PDB file of all heavy atoms in Angstrom:
ATOM      1  N   VAL A 416      29.839  -6.791  38.245  1.00 81.00           N
ATOM      2  CA  VAL A 416      29.753  -7.836  39.268  1.00 81.00           C
ATOM      3  C   VAL A 416      30.736  -8.960  38.973  1.00 81.00           C
ATOM      4  O   VAL A 416      31.394  -9.489  39.875  1.00 81.00           O
ATOM      5  CB  VAL A 416      28.310  -8.375  39.339  1.00 81.00           C
ATOM      6  CG1 VAL A 416      28.241  -9.615  40.205  1.00 81.00           C
ATOM      7  CG2 VAL A 416      27.375  -7.306  39.891  1.00 81.00           C
ATOM      8  N   LYS A 417      30.897  -9.305  37.706  1.00 78.00           N
ATOM      9  CA  LYS A 417      31.754 -10.433  37.329  1.00 78.00           C
ATOM     10  C   LYS A 417      33.234 -10.077  37.358  1.00 78.00           C
ATOM     11  O   LYS A 417      34.066 -10.917  37.708  1.00 78.00           O
ATOM     12  CB  LYS A 417      31.366 -10.925  35.920  1.00 78.00           C
ATOM     13  CG  LYS A 417      29.988 -11.561  35.867  1.00 78.00           C
ATOM     14  CD  LYS A 417      29.525 -11.762  34.445  1.00 78.00           C
ATOM     15  CE  LYS A 417      30.430 -12.654  33.651  1.00 78.00           C
ATOM     16  NZ  LYS A 417      29.917 -12.906  32.278  1.00 78.00           N
ATOM     17  N   HIS A 418      33.571  -8.844  36.974  1.00 78.00           N
ATOM     18  CA  HIS A 418      34.985  -8.525  36.749  1.00 78.00           C
ATOM     19  C   HIS A 418      35.549  -7.460  37.680  1.00 78.00           C
ATOM     20  O   HIS A 418      36.741  -7.158  37.583  1.00 78.00           O
ATOM     21  CB  HIS A 418      35.189  -8.050  35.304  1.00 78.00           C
ATOM     22  CG  HIS A 418      34.694  -9.022  34.282  1.00 78.00           C
ATOM     23  ND1 HIS A 418      35.201 -10.297  34.164  1.00 78.00           N
ATOM     24  CD2 HIS A 418      33.729  -8.908  33.331  1.00 78.00           C
ATOM     25  CE1 HIS A 418      34.583 -10.934  33.176  1.00 78.00           C
ATOM     26  NE2 HIS A 418      33.675 -10.110  32.655  1.00 78.00           N
ATOM     27  N   ALA A 419      34.717  -6.843  38.500  1.00 75.00           N
ATOM     28  CA  ALA A 419      35.212  -5.763  39.359  1.00 75.00           C
ATOM     29  C   ALA A 419      34.755  -5.981  40.790  1.00 75.00           C
ATOM     30  O   ALA A 419      34.053  -5.151  41.382  1.00 75.00           O
ATOM     31  CB  ALA A 419      34.744  -4.407  38.845  1.00 75.00           C
ATOM     32  N   THR A 420      35.168  -7.093  41.337  1.00 73.00           N
ATOM     33  CA  THR A 420      34.780  -7.422  42.707  1.00 73.00           C
ATOM     34  C   THR A 420      35.311  -6.361  43.672  1.00 73.00           C
ATOM     35  O   THR A 420      36.478  -5.965  43.615  1.00 73.00           O
ATOM     36  CB  THR A 420      35.342  -8.801  43.091  1.00 73.00           C
ATOM     37  OG1 THR A 420      34.881  -9.763  42.150  1.00 73.00           O
ATOM     38  CG2 THR A 420      34.904  -9.186  44.493  1.00 73.00           C
ATOM     39  N   GLY A 421      34.443  -5.884  44.555  1.00 75.00           N
ATOM     40  CA  GLY A 421      34.824  -4.878  45.533  1.00 75.00           C
ATOM     41  C   GLY A 421      34.709  -3.457  45.043  1.00 75.00           C
ATOM     42  O   GLY A 421      35.003  -2.520  45.803  1.00 75.00           O
ATOM     43  N   ALA A 422      34.309  -3.266  43.807  1.00 81.00           N
ATOM     44  CA  ALA A 422      34.208  -1.914  43.262  1.00 81.00           C
ATOM     45  C   ALA A 422      32.851  -1.305  43.622  1.00 81.00           C
ATOM     46  O   ALA A 422      31.958  -1.954  44.167  1.00 81.00           O
ATOM     47  CB  ALA A 422      34.390  -1.941  41.749  1.00 81.00           C
ATOM     48  N   LYS A 423      32.735  -0.024  43.322  1.00 87.00           N
ATOM     49  CA  LYS A 423      31.479   0.688  43.437  1.00 87.00           C
ATOM     50  C   LYS A 423      31.020   1.088  42.035  1.00 87.00           C
ATOM     51  O   LYS A 423      31.843   1.381  41.170  1.00 87.00           O
ATOM     52  CB  LYS A 423      31.611   1.920  44.321  1.00 87.00           C
ATOM     53  CG  LYS A 423      31.966   1.614  45.766  1.00 87.00           C
ATOM     54  CD  LYS A 423      32.075   2.891  46.572  1.00 87.00           C
ATOM     55  CE  LYS A 423      32.438   2.596  48.031  1.00 87.00           C
ATOM     56  NZ  LYS A 423      32.554   3.845  48.823  1.00 87.00           N
ATOM     57  N   ALA A 424      29.717   1.137  41.831  1.00 90.00           N
ATOM     58  CA  ALA A 424      29.177   1.452  40.505  1.00 90.00           C
ATOM     59  C   ALA A 424      28.213   2.629  40.603  1.00 90.00           C
ATOM     60  O   ALA A 424      27.587   2.852  41.655  1.00 90.00           O
ATOM     61  CB  ALA A 424      28.472   0.253  39.886  1.00 90.00           C
ATOM     62  N   THR A 425      28.127   3.360  39.498  1.00 91.00           N
ATOM     63  CA  THR A 425      27.209   4.493  39.396  1.00 91.00           C
ATOM     64  C   THR A 425      26.441   4.370  38.092  1.00 91.00           C
ATOM     65  O   THR A 425      27.048   4.185  37.022  1.00 91.00           O
ATOM     66  CB  THR A 425      27.956   5.830  39.427  1.00 91.00           C
ATOM     67  OG1 THR A 425      28.700   5.927  40.656  1.00 91.00           O
ATOM     68  CG2 THR A 425      26.980   6.994  39.317  1.00 91.00           C
ATOM     69  N   VAL A 426      25.125   4.508  38.176  1.00 92.00           N
ATOM     70  CA  VAL A 426      24.254   4.459  37.003  1.00 92.00           C
ATOM     71  C   VAL A 426      23.615   5.832  36.840  1.00 92.00           C
ATOM     72  O   VAL A 426      23.014   6.358  37.785  1.00 92.00           O
ATOM     73  CB  VAL A 426      23.169   3.378  37.141  1.00 92.00           C
ATOM     74  CG1 VAL A 426      22.234   3.403  35.935  1.00 92.00           C
ATOM     75  CG2 VAL A 426      23.812   2.008  37.294  1.00 92.00           C
ATOM     76  N   THR A 427      23.749   6.399  35.632  1.00 92.00           N
ATOM     77  CA  THR A 427      23.169   7.711  35.340  1.00 92.00           C
ATOM     78  C   THR A 427      22.252   7.595  34.131  1.00 92.00           C
ATOM     79  O   THR A 427      22.679   7.104  33.075  1.00 92.00           O
ATOM     80  CB  THR A 427      24.258   8.761  35.056  1.00 92.00           C
ATOM     81  OG1 THR A 427      25.135   8.839  36.186  1.00 92.00           O
ATOM     82  CG2 THR A 427      23.634  10.127  34.792  1.00 92.00           C
ATOM     83  N   VAL A 428      21.010   8.037  34.291  1.00 92.00           N
ATOM     84  CA  VAL A 428      20.042   8.085  33.194  1.00 92.00           C
ATOM     85  C   VAL A 428      19.685   9.549  32.993  1.00 92.00           C
ATOM     86  O   VAL A 428      19.091  10.181  33.875  1.00 92.00           O
ATOM     87  CB  VAL A 428      18.782   7.252  33.507  1.00 92.00           C
ATOM     88  CG1 VAL A 428      17.799   7.349  32.346  1.00 92.00           C
ATOM     89  CG2 VAL A 428      19.160   5.801  33.774  1.00 92.00           C
ATOM     90  N   ASP A 429      20.059  10.091  31.830  1.00 92.00           N
ATOM     91  CA  ASP A 429      19.886  11.517  31.561  1.00 92.00           C
ATOM     92  C   ASP A 429      18.889  11.696  30.414  1.00 92.00           C
ATOM     93  O   ASP A 429      19.165  11.316  29.272  1.00 92.00           O
ATOM     94  CB  ASP A 429      21.237  12.136  31.200  1.00 92.00           C
ATOM     95  CG  ASP A 429      21.152  13.650  31.012  1.00 92.00           C
ATOM     96  OD1 ASP A 429      20.066  14.211  31.240  1.00 92.00           O
ATOM     97  OD2 ASP A 429      22.167  14.253  30.624  1.00 92.00           O
ATOM     98  N   TYR A 430      17.721  12.278  30.720  1.00 91.00           N
ATOM     99  CA  TYR A 430      16.705  12.564  29.709  1.00 91.00           C
ATOM    100  C   TYR A 430      16.998  13.937  29.098  1.00 91.00           C
ATOM    101  O   TYR A 430      16.691  14.974  29.706  1.00 91.00           O
ATOM    102  CB  TYR A 430      15.309  12.566  30.321  1.00 91.00           C
ATOM    103  CG  TYR A 430      14.813  11.219  30.784  1.00 91.00           C
ATOM    104  CD1 TYR A 430      15.096  10.755  32.059  1.00 91.00           C
ATOM    105  CD2 TYR A 430      14.041  10.422  29.939  1.00 91.00           C
ATOM    106  CE1 TYR A 430      14.631   9.527  32.494  1.00 91.00           C
ATOM    107  CE2 TYR A 430      13.575   9.185  30.366  1.00 91.00           C
ATOM    108  CZ  TYR A 430      13.875   8.752  31.632  1.00 91.00           C
ATOM    109  OH  TYR A 430      13.403   7.529  32.053  1.00 91.00           O
ATOM    110  N   GLY A 431      17.593  13.959  27.936  1.00 88.00           N
ATOM    111  CA  GLY A 431      17.846  15.221  27.260  1.00 88.00           C
ATOM    112  C   GLY A 431      16.683  15.602  26.355  1.00 88.00           C
ATOM    113  O   GLY A 431      15.719  14.840  26.178  1.00 88.00           O
TER     114      GLY A 431
END
Side-chain angles (χ1 to χ4, degrees):
V416 170
K417 292 168 60 177
H418 305 299
T420 303
K423 296 180 180 180
T425 301
V426 177
T427 302
V428 179
D429 185 4
Y430 292 87

